[in-house]
Every structure is written in C-alpha cells, then in structure tokens.
Amino acid sequence: MVRPPGPRSNSNSSVGGLLTRPDFESTPLIETNGIEEGDESNGFAGSGNGRGDSLPPTGLGYYTHVSRVIFLSSYVNVLLVFVPIGIILGALDQSPYLVFVINFLAIIPLAGLLGFITEELAKHVGQTLGGLLNATFGNAVELIVSIVALTKGEILIVQASMLGSILSNILLVLGCCFFAGGMIFQEQTFSNIVAQTMSSLMALATASLLIPAAFRATLDTLDGGIDENRMLAVSRGTAIVLLIIYVLYLIFQLKTHASLFETIESPDEEPPSLSVIVCLFALTAVTVIVSVCADYLVDSIDSIVKTTGLSKTFIGLIIIPIVGNAAEHVTAVVVAMKNKMELAIGVALGSSMQIALFLTPFLVILGWILGQPMSLFFSTFETAVLFVSVFITNSQIQDGISNWLEGAMLLGTYMIIAIAFFFYPTNL
C-alpha cells in the first residue's frame, strides 16, 4: 500500500497499537466559525500552517476563548464541579465514603480533559511523536492512581487496577462494542490481521504473569520455601523484556509496518485549536489535579474496606478502572454504532495492550526504584481469570466478524468475573 505524503491525522493516533481517541470523542459544544486560522488575536494556535507557531496572543478575549474550548469540549465536563468539592472534603478529612465517591466522579471528566488536550498537542508534532504522546497519556489516569498507590505501599491496589483495566477493555468495552453495533448491523467486519497481532501480544503479556506464578508455586514446594528476592528478580527481569517488546511494537506500528494500520477509517483532519504552550500548561495542570484527587481516593480505600467488607482487589479491579476508562468506553461504543469496528477495537485492544506491555512493567521498575516490592506475581485466581479472558477475546476476533451475541458472551464473562471478585476474601 502506498502511503500518502505527510503525517497522518493524529485525531486517531496510536495508543499502544491501534488508533484511538478520535476527535469526535470530545465533540465541542461551541462553534468556532468566524475564528479564522492564523488570526493571532483570536486565541487559535494556527498561523496559516496549522502548527501553532504564531506569536502568543494576549488579552482577556484570548484566555476566555481558550477556557471555552477546553471546558466545553465534552458534555461530561459538567462533572468538573466535583473537583473542588472532592479536594475540600479530602483536605478536611471528611467521611471516607464522600471522599471516595466525590473524587471518583471528579476524575472522570479530568480523564476526558487529558485525552482532549493530548489530541490537541498531538496535532502539532506529527504522527510518530503524536503516537508516543497518546501512548503516554492514553491511560494517564490509571498510571497516576497506580503511582500514588505505589508510593503508599498499596501493592494490591496497583496490581488489581492494572488487571482490572485490562479486563474492562477486552471484555466490557469490546463486549459493549459488539453488542451495540450488532443491534444496528447484522454483522460487522474488521481487519483481523492487526487485531490478531495485538491479541498475540496480549497472549505474551498473559504468559508474563503465568510464568512468575508458576515460578512461585515451584519455590513453595522446595525445602527453602518462597524467596521474595528471587520473585522480585524474576518480575523485574520480565518487566524489562516486556518494555523492550513494547518499544519494538511501536517501531512496528509507526515505522516498518505502518501501512497495516492505515486501513482504519479516520475523521477529516482539523487544525489544532490550542497552541503548544497552552496544551503543555493545561496538561500539567490537569495532571496535578488528577494526582491530588487520586491521592484522596486511595487514602479513603482502607476505611471503605474495613466498614463495607469489600476487598481491595474488588475495588481496584472493578471500580477504579471505570474512572480512567469511562471516556474511552463511550468512544468505542459510539464508533461501533457507526460501523467503524476497526477504530472501536483499537480503543479496546490498544488500551489493554498498552497497560499489559507498558504500564504494568513500568510500575514494576518504578517500584524497584522506590524500594516497593511491586512484582508481576498475581494470585492463581487472578492469573486464571486473565488467561480465560484473553482466550475468549481471541476466539471472538479471529474471524474478523462480530455480532451482538459475541458481545453478549464477552459481557457475560465480565459479569461472572465481577461477581466472583465481589465475594473475593478481604484478607487475600
């Protein structure tokens, strides 16, 4: 396939494998007609070349316009009202229930803002760097929450949130896509070449959890018992290998086999609405706010576990992934209902693959640096759940055809897993 000249639109840039977060995920609530590209007084980034290299505009009108573009980028931003409330409740050490719920609701729109701002920034830098930006910030909320939990020594929360994010993407999100799209179209087709490539990488990620679990079980049968230092050494070595594989896949996807990914339909390219400086400032500000909300969210978990009887595993595996993946969930279902299944699968599988091959091993290495015993050892039950989930997902996408029944099967699998983890013992 002959590639078109120039960089491709980053409105559906790569996030760990396939194209995700299309522009219509955050459909602006305001019209920008009448604000010409290149007009330095109107607050737009463009200067005629669409790359945002004009002199920085000034004035109250500019800052008002930028605020409208950011805060009116999506209907879900009405939940931003919970951000100051959640921070105040956390600072005043109020009821853990209120702190958890309010900050939970606050992080949902913040995740959407991170995605919108990242897309704006990606439009300035071209395909390759744009893809890397999306790979970095596509799951920023999960990463921030996990880092906060890791610094507090909440290893169980970190592991559960990583596993939960993978399961919610390949079962809940993909299941909703197949089911919603199947309600409109009798059958939907997609490129199974790219999907199976990503499925193979997910199988590799599953093996990276199975091997440490088998290694620990073997140590447990020996006379010397379990040596935690050996377990950590195996996990850290495996994490380094997974990170290398992830980098190689980025090269595969962005360079050597980029034509495989150009079959995915994309919206028309639009010029950036925000300048690079504004994007960087907004990205930094939103990241800091997410960190504060995540800090209060994690602090409230222990009290909720003690009073409700819910396990940390259930909270991390089922509840927390909803926060970071809410915007992507909506996007995937919307594009599936428009019969853009390759884009929908890109949201689901691309995000889960990035978590498995990048975020999880990255957190193992970060725990090594911070002196926290973060490992790739998951319980036998958790490992079995991931193995079954990846196996079922692979069987559904291998023929390149989907329908509503396949979606129902994926959703049913997720519900069974959620029920099992709801009754998971709190002391494990």
Side-chain angles (χ1 to χ4, degrees), residues 276-289:
V276 174
I277 294 177
V278 170
C279 288
L280 292 175
F281 176 80
L283 203 59
T284 302
V286 174
T287 302
V288 171
I289 296 173

Side-chain angles (χ1 to χ4, degrees), residues 9 11 27 42 102 108 112 133 146 165 179 183 194 201 226 234 236 247 253 269 275 283 285 289 310 378 420:
S9 167
S11 58
T27 304
N42 57 31
I102 299 299
I108 293 176
L133 280 172
S146 296
S165 295
F179 188 83
M183 289 289 101
V194 173
L201 289 171
I226 297 174
V234 170
R236 291 161 181 170
V247 172
Q253 192 273 324
E269 181 175 2
S275 67
L283 203 59
I289 296 173
L310 292 176
F378 288 73

Side-chain angles (χ1 to χ4, degrees), residues 113-298:
L113 285 182
L114 281 175
F116 171 73
I117 297 167
T118 302
E119 281 300 325
E120 288 295 313
L121 185 59
K123 292 177 183 178
H124 290 279
V125 297
Q127 173 192 346
T128 302
L129 187 54
L132 292 176
L133 280 172
N134 279 297
T136 302
F137 290 99
N139 291 293
V141 171
E142 293 97 321
L143 180 60
I144 293 171
V145 172
S146 296
I147 290 177
V148 170
L150 186 61
T151 58
K152 297 177 181 294
E154 296 283 0
I155 307 298
L156 196 59
I157 294 293
V158 177
Q159 292 180 324
S161 63
M162 291 294 99
L163 179 60
S165 295
I166 295 173
L167 296 178
S168 68
N169 276 292
I170 64 176
L171 295 178
L172 180 61
V173 180
L174 196 59
C176 287
C177 290
F178 285 178
F179 188 83
M183 289 289 101
I184 300 175
F185 305 94
Q186 185 174 14
E187 282 188 343
Q188 295 177 287
T189 60
F190 50 89
S191 172
N192 59 350
I193 298 177
V194 173
Q196 288 196 13
T197 300
M198 299 180 67
S199 297
S200 299
L201 289 171
M202 282 301 301
L204 170 64
T206 304
S208 71
L209 300 186
L210 286 172
I211 293 173
F215 181 80
R216 185 184 180 93
T218 302
L219 289 180
D220 198 24
T221 61
L222 300 178
D223 293 336
I226 297 174
D227 186 345
E228 294 297 338
N229 290 328
R230 288 178 182 269
M231 276 301 309
L232 289 174
V234 170
S235 296
R236 291 161 181 170
T238 304
I240 293 173
V241 173
L242 291 178
L243 289 173
I244 293 173
I245 294 295
Y246 182 74
V247 172
L248 292 177
Y249 186 74
L250 286 180
I251 296 173
F252 177 89
Q253 192 273 324
L254 295 172
K255 291 293 185 181
T256 62
H257 291 71
S259 60
L260 291 177
F261 301 87
E262 291 176 354
T263 60
I264 297 179
E265 225 177 312
S266 63
D268 294 333
E269 181 175 2
E270 297 179 1
S273 300
L274 303 173
S275 67
V276 174
I277 294 177
V278 170
C279 288
L280 292 175
F281 176 80
L283 203 59
T284 302
V286 174
T287 302
V288 171
I289 296 173
V290 170
S291 301
V292 175
C293 292
D295 186 58
Y296 291 129
L297 183 77
V298 172

Side-chain angles (χ1 to χ4, degrees), residues 16-81:
L18 272 178
L19 307 180
T20 67
R21 294 188 181 274
D23 285 341
F24 45 80
E25 173 187 323
S26 300
T27 304
L29 306 184
I30 58 174
E31 297 294 334
T32 55
N33 297 332
I35 304 179
E36 301 296 333
E37 182 183 0
D39 183 355
E40 297 179 5
S41 64
N42 57 31
F44 259 103
S47 59
N49 56 8
R51 299 192 63 83
D53 50 3
S54 61
L55 293 176
T58 57
L60 180 61
Y62 167 69
Y63 296 111
T64 301
H65 172 73
V66 168
S67 299
R68 293 179 67 202
V69 169
I70 294 176
F71 292 112
L72 299 181
S73 61
S74 173
Y75 289 99
V76 77
N77 288 345
V78 296
L79 296 177
L80 287 172
V81 67

